[in-house]
Amino acid sequence: MQLVESGGGSVQAGGSLRLSCAASGYAYKNYGTYCMGWFRQAPGKEREGVAAINSAGATIYADSEKDRFTISQDNDKNTLYLQMNDLKPEDSAMYYCAAEAPCWTPVLMEPAYNYWGQGTQVTVSS
């Protein structure tokens, strides 16, 4: 399974970005249920979960992001999105897309996902 992220970039604090993750090469949808998520890793820090969603549309967010970030998916395009608003310098990190199937409950724990993208960089300046 291939996951390719895009949409990262440099913005000023208070700005917005929408990340995309295109999934291909694996019939994960044949399992009937799957989960996809966004994680991020800043220099010198551990990778942390940001948001996740399952095939039914149930979502989970990290507490610090739930009022600013929105995870969504376009099943026809096999694409996962992360809309990020009111960005802060502490949001600067490499953002990774992850996926797992079968999966029923979206979680923000790395070991729950076996498929990862290469990441897209987000830099927020003050």
Side-chain angles (χ1 to χ4, degrees):
M1 183 179 190
Q2 290 79 44
L3 301 173
V4 179
E5 302 96 335
S6 62
S10 298
V11 296
Q12 291 190 329
S16 298
L17 283 173
R18 188 177 80 156
L19 306 183
S20 299
C21 172
S24 63
Y26 182 65
Y28 61 99
K29 290 186 177 180
N30 289 344
Y31 283 96
T33 179
Y34 61 87
C35 298
M36 298 187 76
W38 288 99
F39 290 75
R40 67 185 181 188
Q41 187 170 22
K45 295 186 177 181
E46 294 186 352
R47 190 150 55 182
E48 61 179 359
V50 175
I53 188 170
N54 70 4
S55 48
T59 58
I60 183 172
Y61 293 90
D63 287 342
S64 57
E65 277 71 54
K66 60 183 178 181
D67 294 328
R68 302 184 296 122
F69 293 3
T70 302
I71 190 170
S72 62
Q73 59 191 345
D74 184 328
N75 290 328
D76 292 336
K77 296 182 179 179
N78 293 332
T79 302
L80 178 73
Y81 301 101
L82 183 68
Q83 177 67 44
M84 304 187 295
N85 299 325
D86 190 24
L87 283 162
K88 304 175 181 179
E90 51 264 41
D91 294 319
S92 297
M94 184 71 78
Y95 282 71
Y96 297 92
C97 172
E100 182 57 45
C103 175
W104 290 265
T105 303
V107 295
L108 298 179
M109 296 181 291
E110 283 187 70
Y113 299 88
N114 280 312
Y115 302 97
W116 293 83
Q118 293 300 308
T120 185
Q121 179 68 41
V122 171
T123 302
V124 184
S125 58
S126 58

Coordinates of all heavy atoms in Angstrom, one line a residue, residues 8-101:
G8 N 1.9 20.3 2.4 CA 2.7 21.0 3.4 C 3.3 22.3 2.8 O 3.2 22.5 1.6
G9 N 3.8 23.1 3.7 CA 4.5 24.3 3.3 C 4.8 25.2 4.4 O 4.7 24.8 5.6
S10 N 5.1 26.5 4.1 CA 5.4 27.4 5.1 C 4.3 28.5 5.2 O 3.9 29.0 4.2 CB 6.7 28.1 4.8 OG 7.8 27.2 4.8
V11 N 3.8 28.7 6.4 CA 2.8 29.7 6.6 C 3.1 30.5 7.9 O 3.9 30.1 8.7 CB 1.4 29.1 6.7 CG1 1.0 28.4 5.5 CG2 1.3 28.2 7.9
Q12 N 2.4 31.7 8.0 CA 2.6 32.5 9.2 C 1.5 32.0 10.2 O 0.5 31.4 9.9 CB 2.4 33.9 8.9 CG 3.5 34.5 8.1 CD 3.4 36.0 8.0 OE1 2.4 36.6 8.0 NE2 4.6 36.7 7.9
A13 N 1.8 32.3 11.5 CA 0.9 31.9 12.5 C -0.5 32.5 12.2 O -0.6 33.6 11.8 CB 1.5 32.4 13.9
G14 N -1.5 31.7 12.5 CA -2.8 32.1 12.2 C -3.3 31.7 10.9 O -4.5 31.7 10.6
G15 N -2.4 31.2 10.0 CA -2.8 30.7 8.7 C -3.4 29.3 8.7 O -3.5 28.7 9.7
S16 N -3.7 28.9 7.5 CA -4.3 27.6 7.3 C -3.5 26.8 6.2 O -2.9 27.3 5.3 CB -5.7 27.7 6.9 OG -6.5 28.4 7.9
L17 N -3.6 25.5 6.4 CA -3.1 24.5 5.3 C -4.0 23.3 5.3 O -4.7 23.0 6.3 CB -1.7 24.0 5.7 CG -0.5 25.0 5.4 CD1 0.8 24.3 6.0 CD2 -0.4 25.3 3.9
R18 N -4.1 22.7 4.1 CA -4.9 21.5 4.0 C -3.9 20.4 3.5 O -3.4 20.5 2.3 CB -6.1 21.6 3.1 CG -6.9 20.3 3.1 CD -8.2 20.4 2.3 NE -7.9 20.2 0.9 CZ -8.9 19.7 0.0 NH1 -10.1 19.5 0.5 NH2 -8.6 19.6 -1.2
L19 N -3.7 19.4 4.3 CA -2.8 18.3 3.8 C -3.7 17.2 3.2 O -4.9 17.0 3.5 CB -2.1 17.7 5.1 CG -1.3 18.6 5.9 CD1 -0.6 17.8 7.0 CD2 -0.3 19.4 5.1
S20 N -3.1 16.5 2.2 CA -3.8 15.5 1.5 C -2.9 14.2 1.6 O -1.7 14.3 1.6 CB -4.0 15.8 0.1 OG -4.9 16.9 -0.1
C21 N -3.6 13.1 1.6 CA -2.9 11.8 1.6 C -3.6 10.9 0.6 O -4.7 10.5 0.8 CB -2.8 11.1 2.9 SG -2.2 9.5 3.0
A22 N -2.9 10.6 -0.5 CA -3.5 9.7 -1.6 C -3.1 8.3 -1.3 O -1.9 8.0 -1.2 CB -3.0 10.2 -2.9
A23 N -4.0 7.4 -1.2 CA -3.8 6.0 -1.0 C -4.0 5.2 -2.3 O -4.9 5.4 -3.0 CB -4.8 5.5 0.1
S24 N -3.1 4.2 -2.5 CA -3.2 3.4 -3.6 C -2.4 2.1 -3.4 O -1.7 1.9 -2.4 CB -2.5 4.1 -4.9 OG -1.2 4.3 -4.6
G25 N -2.6 1.1 -4.3 CA -1.9 -0.1 -4.4 C -2.3 -1.2 -3.4 O -1.6 -2.2 -3.3
Y26 N -3.4 -1.1 -2.8 CA -3.8 -2.1 -1.8 C -5.3 -2.0 -1.6 O -5.9 -1.0 -1.5 CB -3.2 -1.8 -0.5 CG -3.5 -2.8 0.6 CD1 -3.1 -4.2 0.5 CD2 -4.2 -2.5 1.8 CE1 -3.3 -5.1 1.5 CE2 -4.4 -3.4 2.8 CZ -4.0 -4.7 2.6 OH -4.3 -5.6 3.6
A27 N -5.9 -3.2 -1.8 CA -7.4 -3.3 -1.7 C -7.9 -3.2 -0.3 O -8.6 -4.1 0.2 CB -7.9 -4.5 -2.4
Y28 N -7.4 -2.2 0.5 CA -7.7 -2.2 1.9 C -9.2 -2.0 2.1 O -9.8 -2.5 3.1 CB -7.0 -1.0 2.6 CG -7.3 0.3 2.0 CD1 -8.2 1.2 2.7 CD2 -6.6 0.8 0.9 CE1 -8.4 2.4 2.2 CE2 -6.9 2.1 0.4 CZ -7.8 2.9 1.1 OH -8.1 4.2 0.6
K29 N -9.9 -1.4 1.1 CA -11.3 -1.3 1.3 C -12.1 -2.6 1.2 O -13.2 -2.7 1.6 CB -11.8 -0.3 0.2 CG -11.4 1.1 0.5 CD -12.0 2.1 -0.5 CE -11.6 3.5 -0.2 NZ -12.2 4.5 -1.2
N30 N -11.4 -3.6 0.6 CA -12.1 -4.9 0.6 C -12.3 -5.5 1.9 O -13.1 -6.5 2.1 CB -11.2 -5.9 -0.3 CG -11.3 -5.5 -1.8 OD1 -12.1 -4.7 -2.2 ND2 -10.3 -6.0 -2.5
Y31 N -11.6 -5.0 2.9 CA -11.8 -5.5 4.3 C -13.1 -5.0 4.9 O -13.5 -5.5 5.9 CB -10.6 -5.1 5.2 CG -9.4 -5.9 5.0 CD1 -8.4 -5.5 4.1 CD2 -9.2 -7.1 5.6 CE1 -7.2 -6.2 4.0 CE2 -8.0 -7.9 5.4 CZ -7.1 -7.4 4.6 OH -5.9 -8.2 4.4
G32 N -13.6 -4.0 4.3 CA -14.9 -3.5 4.8 C -14.7 -2.4 5.8 O -15.6 -1.7 6.0
T33 N -13.6 -2.4 6.5 CA -13.4 -1.4 7.5 C -11.9 -1.1 7.5 O -11.1 -2.0 7.5 CB -13.9 -1.8 8.8 OG1 -13.7 -0.8 9.8 CG2 -13.3 -3.1 9.3
Y34 N -11.5 0.1 7.7 CA -10.2 0.6 7.7 C -10.1 1.8 8.6 O -11.1 2.5 8.9 CB -9.6 0.8 6.3 CG -10.3 1.9 5.6 CD1 -9.9 3.2 5.7 CD2 -11.4 1.6 4.7 CE1 -10.6 4.2 5.0 CE2 -12.0 2.5 4.0 CZ -11.7 3.8 4.2 OH -12.4 4.8 3.5
C35 N -8.8 2.2 9.0 CA -8.6 3.4 9.7 C -7.4 4.2 9.0 O -6.5 3.5 8.5 CB -8.2 3.2 11.1 SG -9.5 2.4 12.1
M36 N -7.5 5.5 9.0 CA -6.4 6.3 8.5 C -6.2 7.4 9.5 O -7.1 7.9 10.2 CB -6.7 6.8 7.1 CG -6.9 5.7 6.1 SD -7.1 6.4 4.4 CE -5.4 6.8 4.0
G37 N -4.9 7.8 9.6 CA -4.6 8.9 10.6 C -3.5 9.8 10.2 O -2.8 9.5 9.2
W38 N -3.4 10.9 10.9 CA -2.3 11.8 10.7 C -1.5 11.9 12.0 O -2.1 12.0 13.1 CB -2.9 13.2 10.4 CG -3.5 13.4 9.0 CD1 -4.8 13.4 8.7 CD2 -2.7 13.6 7.8 NE1 -4.9 13.5 7.4 CE2 -3.7 13.7 6.8 CE3 -1.4 13.7 7.5 CZ2 -3.3 13.9 5.5 CZ3 -1.0 13.9 6.2 CH2 -2.0 14.0 5.2
F39 N -0.2 11.8 11.8 CA 0.8 11.9 12.9 C 1.7 13.0 12.5 O 1.9 13.4 11.4 CB 1.5 10.6 13.1 CG 0.6 9.5 13.6 CD1 -0.3 8.9 12.9 CD2 0.8 9.1 15.0 CE1 -1.1 7.9 13.4 CE2 0.0 8.1 15.5 CZ -1.0 7.5 14.7
R40 N 2.5 13.5 13.5 CA 3.5 14.5 13.2 C 4.7 14.3 14.1 O 4.6 13.8 15.2 CB 2.9 15.9 13.4 CG 2.6 16.3 14.8 CD 1.9 17.7 14.9 NE 1.6 18.1 16.2 CZ 0.9 19.2 16.5 NH1 0.4 19.9 15.6 NH2 0.6 19.5 17.8
Q41 N 5.8 14.8 13.6 CA 7.1 14.7 14.4 C 7.9 15.9 14.2 O 8.3 16.2 13.1 CB 7.9 13.4 14.0 CG 9.1 13.2 14.9 CD 9.7 11.8 14.7 OE1 9.5 11.2 13.6 NE2 10.4 11.3 15.6
A42 N 8.1 16.6 15.3 CA 9.0 17.8 15.3 C 10.4 17.4 15.6 O 10.6 16.3 16.3 CB 8.5 18.8 16.3
P43 N 11.4 18.1 15.2 CA 12.8 17.8 15.5 C 13.0 17.6 17.0 O 12.6 18.4 17.8 CB 13.6 19.0 15.0 CG 12.7 19.5 13.9 CD 11.3 19.4 14.4
G44 N 13.6 16.5 17.4 CA 14.0 16.2 18.7 C 12.8 15.7 19.6 O 12.9 15.5 20.8
K45 N 11.7 15.5 18.9 CA 10.5 15.0 19.7 C 10.0 13.7 19.1 O 10.3 13.3 17.9 CB 9.4 16.0 19.6 CG 9.7 17.3 20.3 CD 8.5 18.3 20.4 CE 8.8 19.5 21.2 NZ 7.6 20.4 21.3
E46 N 9.2 13.0 19.9 CA 8.6 11.7 19.4 C 7.4 12.0 18.5 O 6.8 13.1 18.6 CB 8.1 10.9 20.6 CG 9.3 10.4 21.5 CD 8.8 9.4 22.5 OE1 7.6 9.3 22.7 OE2 9.6 8.8 23.2
R47 N 7.2 11.1 17.6 CA 6.0 11.2 16.7 C 4.7 11.1 17.5 O 4.6 10.3 18.4 CB 6.0 10.2 15.6 CG 5.0 10.4 14.5 CD 5.5 9.9 13.2 NE 5.9 8.5 13.2 CZ 6.3 7.8 12.1 NH1 6.4 8.5 11.0 NH2 6.6 6.6 12.2
E48 N 3.8 12.0 17.3 CA 2.5 12.0 18.0 C 1.3 12.0 17.1 O 1.4 12.5 16.0 CB 2.5 13.3 18.9 CG 2.5 14.6 18.1 CD 2.4 15.8 19.0 OE1 2.3 15.7 20.2 OE2 2.4 16.9 18.5
G49 N 0.3 11.4 17.6 CA -1.0 11.4 16.8 C -1.7 12.7 16.8 O -1.7 13.4 17.8
V50 N -2.3 13.0 15.7 CA -3.0 14.3 15.5 C -4.5 14.1 15.4 O -5.3 14.6 16.1 CB -2.5 15.1 14.3 CG1 -3.3 16.4 14.1 CG2 -1.0 15.4 14.5
A51 N -4.8 13.2 14.4 CA -6.2 12.9 14.2 C -6.3 11.6 13.4 O -5.4 11.2 12.7 CB -6.9 14.0 13.4
A52 N -7.4 10.9 13.6 CA -7.7 9.6 12.9 C -9.1 9.5 12.5 O -10.0 10.1 13.2 CB -7.1 8.4 13.7
I53 N -9.4 8.6 11.5 CA -10.8 8.4 11.1 C -10.9 7.0 10.6 O -10.0 6.4 10.1 CB -11.1 9.4 10.0 CG1 -12.6 9.4 9.6 CG2 -10.2 9.2 8.7 CD1 -13.0 10.5 8.6
N54 N -12.1 6.4 10.8 CA -12.3 5.1 10.3 C -13.2 5.1 9.0 O -13.7 6.2 8.7 CB -12.8 4.1 11.3 CG -14.3 4.4 11.7 OD1 -14.9 5.2 11.2 ND2 -14.7 3.6 12.7
S55 N -13.5 4.0 8.4 CA -14.2 4.0 7.2 C -15.7 4.4 7.4 O -16.3 4.8 6.4 CB -14.2 2.5 6.6 OG -14.5 1.6 7.6
A56 N -16.1 4.3 8.6 CA -17.5 4.8 8.9 C -17.6 6.3 9.1 O -18.7 6.8 9.3 CB -18.1 4.0 10.0
G57 N -16.4 6.9 9.2 CA -16.4 8.4 9.5 C -16.2 8.8 10.9 O -16.2 10.0 11.3
A58 N -16.1 7.8 11.8 CA -15.8 8.1 13.2 C -14.4 8.7 13.3 O -13.5 8.3 12.7 CB -15.9 6.9 14.1
T59 N -14.3 9.8 14.1 CA -13.0 10.5 14.2 C -12.5 10.6 15.7 O -13.3 10.4 16.6 CB -13.1 11.9 13.7 OG1 -14.1 12.6 14.4 CG2 -13.5 11.9 12.2
I60 N -11.2 10.8 15.8 CA -10.6 11.1 17.1 C -9.5 12.1 16.9 O -8.9 12.1 15.8 CB -10.0 9.8 17.7 CG1 -9.5 10.1 19.1 CG2 -9.0 9.1 16.8 CD1 -9.0 8.8 19.9
Y61 N -9.4 13.0 17.8 CA -8.4 14.1 17.7 C -7.6 14.2 19.0 O -8.1 13.9 20.1 CB -9.1 15.5 17.5 CG -9.8 15.6 16.2 CD1 -11.1 15.3 16.1 CD2 -9.1 16.2 15.1 CE1 -11.8 15.4 14.9 CE2 -9.8 16.3 13.9 CZ -11.1 16.0 13.8 OH -11.8 16.1 12.6
A62 N -6.3 14.6 18.8 CA -5.6 15.0 20.0 C -6.2 16.2 20.6 O -6.7 17.1 19.9 CB -4.1 15.3 19.6
D63 N -6.2 16.3 21.9 CA -6.9 17.3 22.6 C -6.5 18.7 22.2 O -7.3 19.6 22.0 CB -6.7 17.2 24.1 CG -7.5 16.0 24.7 OD1 -8.4 15.6 24.1 OD2 -7.1 15.6 25.9
S64 N -5.2 18.9 21.9 CA -4.7 20.2 21.6 C -5.1 20.7 20.2 O -5.0 21.8 19.8 CB -3.2 20.3 21.7 OG -2.6 19.3 20.9
E65 N -5.6 19.7 19.3 CA -5.9 20.0 17.9 C -7.4 20.0 17.6 O -7.8 20.4 16.5 CB -5.1 19.1 17.0 CG -3.7 19.5 16.7 CD -2.8 19.3 17.9 OE1 -2.8 18.2 18.5 OE2 -2.2 20.2 18.3
K66 N -8.2 19.5 18.5 CA -9.6 19.2 18.1 C -10.4 20.4 17.7 O -11.4 20.3 17.0 CB -10.3 18.4 19.1 CG -10.4 19.1 20.5 CD -11.0 18.2 21.5 CE -11.1 18.8 22.9 NZ -11.8 17.9 23.8
D67 N -10.0 21.6 18.2 CA -10.7 22.8 17.8 C -10.2 23.5 16.6 O -10.8 24.4 16.1 CB -10.8 23.7 19.0 CG -11.5 23.2 20.2 OD1 -12.5 22.4 20.0 OD2 -11.1 23.5 21.3
R68 N -9.0 23.1 16.1 CA -8.4 23.7 15.0 C -8.2 22.9 13.8 O -8.2 23.4 12.6 CB -7.0 24.3 15.4 CG -7.1 25.2 16.6 CD -5.7 25.8 16.9 NE -4.8 24.7 17.3 CZ -3.6 24.4 16.7 NH1 -3.2 25.1 15.7 NH2 -2.9 23.4 17.2
F69 N -8.2 21.6 13.9 CA -7.9 20.6 12.8 C -9.2 19.8 12.5 O -9.9 19.5 13.5 CB -6.8 19.7 13.2 CG -5.4 20.3 13.3 CD1 -5.2 21.7 13.2 CD2 -4.3 19.6 13.6 CE1 -4.0 22.3 13.3 CE2 -3.0 20.1 13.7 CZ -2.9 21.5 13.6
T70 N -9.3 19.5 11.3 CA -10.4 18.6 10.9 C -9.9 17.6 9.9 O -9.3 17.9 8.9 CB -11.5 19.4 10.2 OG1 -12.0 20.5 11.0 CG2 -12.7 18.5 9.8
I71 N -10.2 16.3 10.3 CA -9.8 15.2 9.4 C -11.0 14.8 8.6 O -12.2 14.8 9.1 CB -9.2 14.0 10.2 CG1 -8.6 12.9 9.3 CG2 -10.3 13.4 11.1 CD1 -7.9 11.9 10.0
S72 N -10.8 14.4 7.3 CA -11.9 14.0 6.5 C -11.4 13.1 5.4 O -10.1 13.0 5.2 CB -12.6 15.2 5.8 OG -11.7 15.9 5.0
Q73 N -12.3 12.5 4.6 CA -11.8 11.6 3.6 C -12.8 11.6 2.4 O -14.0 11.9 2.6 CB -11.7 10.1 4.1 CG -13.1 9.6 4.7 CD -12.9 8.3 5.4 OE1 -11.8 7.6 5.3 NE2 -13.9 7.9 6.2
D74 N -12.2 11.4 1.3 CA -13.0 11.3 0.0 C -12.9 9.9 -0.5 O -11.8 9.5 -1.0 CB -12.5 12.3 -1.0 CG -13.4 12.3 -2.3 OD1 -13.9 11.2 -2.6 OD2 -13.5 13.4 -2.9
N75 N -13.8 9.1 -0.2 CA -13.7 7.6 -0.6 C -13.6 7.4 -2.1 O -12.9 6.5 -2.5 CB -14.9 6.9 0.0 CG -14.9 6.8 1.5 OD1 -13.8 6.7 2.1 ND2 -16.1 6.8 2.1
D76 N -14.2 8.3 -2.9 CA -14.1 8.1 -4.3 C -12.7 8.4 -4.8 O -12.3 7.7 -5.8 CB -15.1 9.0 -5.0 CG -16.6 8.6 -4.8 OD1 -16.8 7.4 -4.5 OD2 -17.5 9.5 -4.9
K77 N -12.0 9.3 -4.1 CA -10.7 9.6 -4.6 C -9.6 8.9 -3.8 O -8.4 9.1 -4.0 CB -10.5 11.1 -4.4 CG -11.4 12.0 -5.4 CD -11.0 13.4 -5.2 CE -11.9 14.3 -6.1 NZ -11.6 15.7 -6.0
N78 N -10.0 8.1 -2.8 CA -9.1 7.4 -1.9 C -8.1 8.3 -1.3 O -6.9 8.1 -1.3 CB -8.3 6.3 -2.7 CG -9.2 5.2 -3.2 OD1 -10.2 4.9 -2.5 ND2 -8.9 4.5 -4.3
T79 N -8.6 9.4 -0.8 CA -7.8 10.5 -0.3 C -8.2 10.9 1.1 O -9.4 11.1 1.3 CB -7.8 11.7 -1.2 OG1 -7.3 11.3 -2.5 CG2 -6.9 12.8 -0.7
L80 N -7.2 11.1 1.9 CA -7.4 11.6 3.3 C -7.0 13.0 3.4 O -6.0 13.4 2.7 CB -6.6 10.7 4.3 CG -6.7 11.1 5.7 CD1 -8.0 10.6 6.3 CD2 -5.5 10.4 6.5
Y81 N -7.7 13.8 4.2 CA -7.3 15.2 4.3 C -7.2 15.6 5.8 O -7.7 15.0 6.7 CB -8.4 16.1 3.7 CG -8.7 15.8 2.2 CD1 -9.8 15.1 1.9 CD2 -7.9 16.4 1.3 CE1 -10.1 14.8 0.5 CE2 -8.2 16.1 -0.1 CZ -9.3 15.4 -0.4 OH -9.5 15.1 -1.8
L82 N -6.4 16.7 6.0 CA -6.3 17.3 7.3 C -6.4 18.8 7.1 O -5.4 19.4 6.5 CB -5.0 16.9 8.0 CG -4.9 17.5 9.4 CD1 -6.0 16.8 10.4 CD2 -3.5 17.2 10.0
Q83 N -7.5 19.4 7.4 CA -7.6 20.8 7.4 C -7.1 21.4 8.7 O -7.6 21.1 9.7 CB -9.0 21.2 7.2 CG -9.3 22.7 7.1 CD -8.7 23.4 5.9 OE1 -8.7 22.9 4.8 NE2 -8.0 24.6 6.2
M84 N -6.1 22.3 8.6 CA -5.5 22.9 9.7 C -5.7 24.4 9.7 O -5.2 25.1 8.8 CB -4.0 22.5 9.8 CG -3.7 21.0 9.7 SD -1.9 20.7 9.9 CE -1.2 21.4 8.5
N85 N -6.3 24.9 10.7 CA -6.6 26.3 10.8 C -5.9 26.9 12.1 O -5.5 26.2 13.0 CB -8.1 26.6 10.9 CG -8.9 26.1 9.7 OD1 -8.4 26.1 8.6 ND2 -10.1 25.6 9.9
D86 N -5.8 28.2 12.1 CA -5.2 28.9 13.2 C -3.9 28.2 13.6 O -3.6 27.9 14.8 CB -6.1 28.9 14.4 CG -5.7 29.9 15.5 OD1 -4.9 30.8 15.2 OD2 -6.1 29.6 16.6
L87 N -3.0 28.1 12.6 CA -1.8 27.4 12.9 C -0.8 28.1 13.8 O -0.8 29.4 13.8 CB -1.0 27.1 11.6 CG -1.7 25.9 10.8 CD1 -1.2 25.9 9.3 CD2 -1.3 24.6 11.4
K88 N -0.1 27.4 14.6 CA 0.8 28.0 15.6 C 2.2 27.5 15.3 O 2.4 26.4 14.7 CB 0.4 27.6 17.0 CG -1.1 27.9 17.3 CD -1.5 27.4 18.7 CE -2.9 27.7 19.0 NZ -3.3 27.2 20.3
P89 N 3.2 28.2 15.7 CA 4.6 27.8 15.5 C 4.9 26.3 16.1 O 5.6 25.6 15.5 CB 5.5 28.8 16.3 CG 4.6 30.0 16.2 CD 3.2 29.6 16.3
E90 N 4.2 26.0 17.1 CA 4.4 24.7 17.7 C 3.7 23.6 16.9 O 3.9 22.4 17.1 CB 3.8 24.6 19.1 CG 2.4 25.1 19.3 CD 2.4 26.6 19.8 OE1 3.2 27.4 19.2 OE2 1.5 26.9 20.6
D91 N 3.0 23.9 15.8 CA 2.5 22.9 14.9 C 3.5 22.6 13.8 O 3.3 21.6 13.1 CB 1.2 23.5 14.2 CG 0.1 23.7 15.1 OD1 -0.2 22.9 16.0 OD2 -0.6 24.7 14.9
S92 N 4.6 23.2 13.8 CA 5.7 22.9 12.8 C 6.2 21.5 13.1 O 6.6 21.2 14.2 CB 6.8 23.9 12.9 OG 6.4 25.2 12.7
A93 N 6.2 20.7 12.0 CA 6.6 19.3 12.1 C 6.5 18.7 10.8 O 6.0 19.3 9.8 CB 5.7 18.6 13.1
M94 N 7.1 17.5 10.7 CA 6.8 16.6 9.5 C 5.5 15.9 9.8 O 5.4 15.3 10.9 CB 7.9 15.6 9.3 CG 7.8 14.8 8.1 SD 8.0 15.7 6.6 CE 9.8 15.8 6.6
Y95 N 4.6 16.0 8.9 CA 3.3 15.3 9.1 C 3.2 14.1 8.2 O 3.5 14.1 7.0 CB 2.1 16.3 8.7 CG 1.9 17.3 9.7 CD1 2.8 18.3 10.0 CD2 0.7 17.3 10.5 CE1 2.5 19.3 11.0 CE2 0.5 18.2 11.5 CZ 1.4 19.2 11.7 OH 1.2 20.1 12.7
Y96 N 2.8 13.0 8.9 CA 2.7 11.7 8.2 C 1.3 11.2 8.2 O 0.5 11.3 9.1 CB 3.6 10.7 9.0 CG 5.0 11.0 9.0 CD1 5.5 11.7 10.1 CD2 5.9 10.5 8.1 CE1 6.9 12.0 10.2 CE2 7.3 10.8 8.1 CZ 7.7 11.6 9.2 OH 9.1 11.9 9.2
C97 N 1.0 10.5 7.1 CA -0.3 9.8 6.9 C 0.0 8.3 7.2 O 1.0 7.8 6.9 CB -0.7 10.0 5.5 SG -2.2 9.0 5.0
A98 N -1.0 7.7 7.9 CA -0.9 6.3 8.2 C -2.2 5.6 8.0 O -3.3 6.2 8.0 CB -0.5 6.1 9.7
A99 N -2.1 4.3 7.7 CA -3.4 3.5 7.4 C -3.3 2.1 8.0 O -2.1 1.5 8.1 CB -3.6 3.5 5.9
E100 N -4.4 1.5 8.2 CA -4.4 0.1 8.7 C -5.8 -0.5 8.3 O -6.8 0.2 8.3 CB -4.3 0.0 10.2 CG -4.2 -1.4 10.7 CD -3.2 -2.3 10.0 OE1 -2.0 -1.8 9.9 OE2 -3.5 -3.4 9.6
A101 N -5.8 -1.8 7.9 CA -7.0 -2.5 7.6 C -6.7 -4.0 7.8 O -5.6 -4.5 7.6 CB -7.4 -2.3 6.1

